[in-house]
Amino acid sequence: MQKEHNLSKNQKIIFDLIDKSGGPMKAYSILFNVQKKGIKAPLQVYRALDKLVEIGKIHKIESRNAFIACQNSSCQISKATAFSICESCEDVSEISNTKLSKYLSNFADESGMKYSKYNLEFFGLCKKCKSK
Amino acid sequence: MQKEHNLSKNQKIIFDLIDKSGGPMKAYSILFNVQKKGIKAPLQVYRALDKLVEIGKIHKIESRNAFIACQNSSCQISKATAFSICESCEDVSEISNTKLSKYLSNFADESGMKYSKYNLEFFGLCKKCKSK
DNA sequence: TTATAAATGTTATATTATTACATAGTGTTA
DNA sequence: TAACACTATGTAATAATATAACATTTATAA
């Protein structure tokens, strides 16, 4: 069973914004968009983002310093994330591919390290940009 | 055949520093360390870093905003990078595993996107930190 | 209900990275 | 060599991203 997280006021405002945007959003763009709702300071945004990342409602796209709503309905795999990023239009989508996630979750090498998390970012041209 | 890149003065200074450090280094820590060699401004550091990343001599650890010397003697796979990161001591090492890189380089899904690059970061506890 | 944890509000500041513009060096080729 | 293109450098200013420190309030659970 998945734990139900009751989002706080700021968390809800910020999650809804990111979710509705349908793509990655940057922290200060989020800030700008929620100022009319009373969220005035960067820290308020970052705190909500931290929490949302922690509970898996959003993910951080590390190479872009941006945040995107989790697109896996289950929202259970925040410790195993994979994204495809178009280097032309900067469109990002989350990859949910069972084989890939199994392969990576079970990956082990000779280092003696046990991996508990991973983040994978693929880069290329999306269908639209390829055909331009 | 691999193209030989003759590093410029600043590029050489900065590459040598990162390489000798044996681990990831942050841009402003690099700056601090090379000031005695006449490199005074952030931009001088970032320009050298950009070039070194471009030619594959170093890689950026995106989740840490840090740069590490390429540990694959060949230095040919800057478009296909994988790292293991210890969340306790922040030790980073580059993973060179033929199976993994083949698997990821050939990965394709239904999105119609052709991936030309990827970056994978694994997180966990290294051997040392695990046994503490 | 009281104590504990989680979230909020606010100001200031730290860290990471780029823009803009001027100058100098390197390599090619006419 | 002279002219050109290209790469790299130097410098100042500033933009973009993120956190520290402290006070207060709200939610949760014992």
Side-chain angles (χ1 to χ4, degrees):
Chain A
M1 259 301 274
Q2 188 177 3
K3 192 181 170 200
E4 183 57 42
H5 287 283
N6 295 308
L7 300 183
S8 73
K9 177 170 143 282
N10 288 0
Q11 290 159 15
K12 212 170 309 181
I13 291 170
I14 287 173
F15 174 73
D16 285 348
L17 175 68
I18 299 174
D19 193 35
K20 272 166 198 152
S21 87
M25 291 194 75
K26 306 200 132 214
Y28 278 71
S29 147
I30 293 168
L31 175 58
F32 179 80
N33 276 277
V34 297
Q35 272 173 339
K36 47 184 175 270
K37 304 220 173 187
I39 295 175
K40 295 174 197 160
L43 192 48
Q44 294 174 291
V45 173
Y46 281 104
R47 282 198 285 225
L49 290 173
D50 284 351
K51 187 69 186 183
L52 291 167
V53 166
E54 186 192 322
I55 64 181
K57 299 285 287 180
I58 65 173
H59 305 299
K60 182 169 188 182
I61 311 299
E62 294 287 357
S63 65
R64 299 299 187 260
N65 297 320
F67 300 84
I68 193 168
C70 179
Q71 289 165 35
N72 288 298
S73 51
S74 67
C75 270
Q76 296 207 330
I77 57 168
S78 63
K79 295 190 165 177
T81 49
F83 304 94
S84 78
I85 303 171
C86 176
E87 290 185 298
S88 170
C89 69
E90 292 294 325
D91 182 70
V92 174
S93 45
E94 189 168 355
I95 297 173
S96 38
N97 181 294
T98 313
K99 275 189 187 174
L100 177 66
S101 60
K102 270 192 186 159
Y103 183 87
L104 292 176
S105 297
N106 294 325
F107 181 79
D109 56 10
E110 329 69 39
S111 71
M113 191 154 164
K114 170 69 190 138
Y115 302 120
S116 56
K117 266 201 289 192
Y118 69 78
N119 178 56
L120 171 59
E121 298 180 5
F122 280 108
F123 305 92
L125 291 178
C126 71
K127 231 174 176 173
K128 278 187 187 171
C129 291
K130 223 169 23 183
S131 62
K132 270 177 193 164
Chain B
M1 260 301 274
Q2 189 177 4
K3 192 181 169 199
E4 183 57 41
H5 286 284
N6 296 310
L7 301 184
S8 73
K9 178 171 141 281
N10 287 0
Q11 289 159 17
K12 212 170 308 180
I13 291 170
I14 286 172
F15 174 73
D16 286 347
L17 176 67
I18 300 174
D19 194 35
K20 275 167 196 153
S21 86
M25 290 194 75
K26 307 200 131 211
Y28 278 72
S29 147
I30 292 168
L31 175 58
F32 179 80
N33 276 277
V34 296
Q35 274 173 335
K36 47 184 175 269
K37 303 219 174 186
I39 296 175
K40 296 175 196 159
L43 190 49
Q44 295 175 290
V45 173
Y46 280 106
R47 282 198 284 224
L49 290 173
D50 285 351
K51 188 68 186 183
L52 291 167
V53 165
E54 187 191 323
I55 64 180
K57 300 283 289 179
I58 64 171
H59 306 299
K60 182 169 187 182
I61 310 299
E62 294 287 358
S63 66
R64 299 298 188 261
N65 298 317
F67 300 84
I68 193 168
C70 178
Q71 290 164 35
N72 288 299
S73 50
S74 67
C75 270
Q76 297 206 332
I77 56 170
S78 65
K79 294 190 167 177
T81 48
F83 302 94
S84 79
I85 302 171
C86 175
E87 289 185 298
S88 170
C89 69
E90 291 294 325
D91 183 71
V92 174
S93 45
E94 189 168 354
I95 297 173
S96 38
N97 182 295
T98 313
K99 276 190 185 173
L100 176 66
S101 60
K102 271 193 183 158
Y103 183 87
L104 293 175
S105 296
N106 295 325
F107 181 79
D109 56 10
E110 328 71 40
S111 72
M113 190 155 166
K114 171 68 189 139
Y115 303 119
S116 56
K117 263 200 291 190
Y118 69 77
N119 179 55
L120 170 59
E121 297 181 2
F122 280 108
F123 305 92
L125 291 178
C126 71
K127 231 173 176 174
K128 277 187 190 174
C129 291
K130 223 171 21 182
S131 60
K132 269 176 193 164

